[in-house]
Amino acid sequence: MPQLVLRRILWSLPSLGIVSALTFVLASLTPGDAARVVLGTNTDPLAYDRLRDELGLDQPLWSQYGDWLTGAVRGDLGQSLFTREPVLDIIGDRLGVTLTLILSATVLAAIVGVGLGVLGAVRGGLAGRITDGLAMLGMAVPTFWLALLLILLFAARLGWFPATGFVPFAEDPAGWLRSFTLPVLALSVGGVATIAKQTRGAVLDAMGTEHVRALRANGVPGSRIVARHCLKNAAVPVTTVVGLVMIGLLGGTILVEQVFALPGLGQLAVTATLSHDLPVLVGVVTVYTLMVLASNLLTDLGYAWLSPKVEVTR
């Protein structure tokens, strides 16, 4: 297990370098720059050149990336071109919101998805068709459209939850929970559908094995067979899907945070992109990449724990 963790960490270093370099290149291809955003379009060319020199934007792209990478190796992701605040501090202020959103949505999707999948597999018939129908519907519904529907129903009409905004946990725990309820629901529905579909298929496969048929022939109760044998065999593919769902939710946070006005990393990424704040944008992308790598590592660890005989090679 320690060798697996070390191997994953070593593999993550080139990934971080490639992603950060691509972010620099792609951001440089977008029209405009931070100096133009600050001064506007009808500004004095000399003032524009001075500000570009002050912000370091007149340097070649490879030089800018080299300076950023040198600082990143030392744990310094630079400063915002607009507020002059350290990027790490800006990200740190918003990281908790995004992590809460992702982890809550992943846990909710895993619990509900596995429950629906097992129910559909065990009951079969109408329950199985309902599970398949709900899974297809959940995967087809766009997250932003579902988020707007939830706001219209539970915030505007019923008034049970706030439509937008964020309440820190330290100020009001109940308000914090209410501010996260609708965003987590909107973000988790697609994951519930995917996990339910995968769980139902995996449990059905496990129930069709000769081992399970032999247990049934010997009179072992069906609930015990499902709990001790079918779920154990289905856990490996389901764990893989949960990991993939978690990675998919990272992209969904950008839309959800925008719709519900949550001060997370997704909202910060949009703001940094529109304002050409390259250090902040690269910092956010780097953190998202770290989350993806961490999710893959957790999936591999779960895979190795559930099925020690299967070697996770890379």
Side-chain angles (χ1 to χ4, degrees):
M1 194 74 73
Q3 290 83 359
L4 173 63
V5 175
L6 179 60
R7 196 161 56 236
R8 280 288 183 261
I9 292 175
L10 293 177
W11 271 102
S12 67
L13 297 179
S15 301
L16 288 172
I18 293 172
V19 170
S20 60
L22 283 176
T23 305
F24 259 81
V25 172
L26 294 176
S28 68
L29 297 178
T30 59
D33 57 26
R36 188 66 70 190
V37 173
V38 172
L39 298 175
T41 54
N42 299 320
T43 186
D44 181 7
L46 292 178
Y48 173 71
D49 291 338
R50 281 198 300 272
L51 185 56
R52 278 180 55 85
D53 178 66
E54 180 182 340
L55 297 177
L57 301 178
D58 57 341
Q59 299 296 317
L61 189 62
W62 61 266
S63 178
Q64 295 181 47
Y65 178 69
D67 292 341
W68 179 87
L69 189 60
T70 302
V73 171
R74 298 195 301 264
D76 180 11
L77 296 181
Q79 296 179 334
S80 167
L81 297 179
F82 294 90
T83 65
R84 293 300 186 184
E85 293 180 74
V87 173
L88 281 177
D89 291 348
I90 299 174
I91 291 175
D93 291 339
R94 294 168 175 262
L95 183 60
V97 174
T98 301
L99 283 180
T100 301
L101 197 57
I102 293 172
L103 294 177
S104 300
T106 303
V107 171
L108 180 63
I111 293 175
V112 178
V114 170
L116 285 176
V118 172
L119 180 65
V122 173
R123 295 293 179 86
L126 179 61
R129 288 192 290 274
I130 291 176
T131 301
D132 284 341
L134 291 176
M136 294 296 293
L137 182 64
M139 288 187 283
V141 174
T143 300
F144 73 92
W145 183 74
L146 178 63
L148 294 176
L149 283 184
L150 292 175
I151 290 175
L152 288 175
L153 177 60
F154 294 105
R157 182 176 291 274
L158 299 176
W160 292 354
F161 304 99
T164 59
F166 168 71
V167 178
F169 181 83
E171 293 182 6
D172 182 5
W176 173 84
L177 182 61
R178 293 178 71 242
S179 67
F180 268 112
T181 300
L182 295 184
V184 169
L185 284 176
L187 191 61
S188 62
V189 167
V192 170
T194 303
I195 294 172
K197 186 76 175 174
Q198 178 64 43
T199 301
R200 183 170 183 267
V203 173
L204 284 176
D205 290 341
M207 292 173 67
T209 59
E210 294 183 2
H211 173 64
V212 171
R213 287 201 297 268
L215 291 174
R216 283 179 173 170
N218 290 327
V220 178
S223 57
R224 183 182 298 177
I225 294 175
V226 172
R228 293 189 178 181
H229 301 279
C230 296
L231 285 180
K232 183 178 180 181
N233 293 333
V236 172
V238 172
T239 299
T240 303
V241 172
V242 171
L244 294 175
V245 165
M246 186 174 180
I247 293 173
L249 293 181
L250 291 172
T253 58
I254 297 177
L255 287 174
V256 170
E257 288 177 6
Q258 286 294 108
V259 173
F260 291 97
L262 294 176
L265 293 181
Q267 190 184 68
L268 180 62
V270 174
T271 304
T273 302
L274 295 177
S275 60
H276 298 278
D277 198 343
L278 189 55
V280 174
L281 177 60
V282 178
V284 172
V285 172
T286 301
V287 172
Y288 269 110
T289 306
L290 286 173
M291 290 184 189
V292 172
L293 296 172
S295 177
N296 284 331
L297 176 60
L298 290 175
T299 302
D300 286 344
L301 292 177
Y303 200 90
W305 180 67
L306 291 169
S307 183
K309 295 180 180 179
V310 178
E311 182 184 2
V312 182
T313 56
R314 291 193 303 173

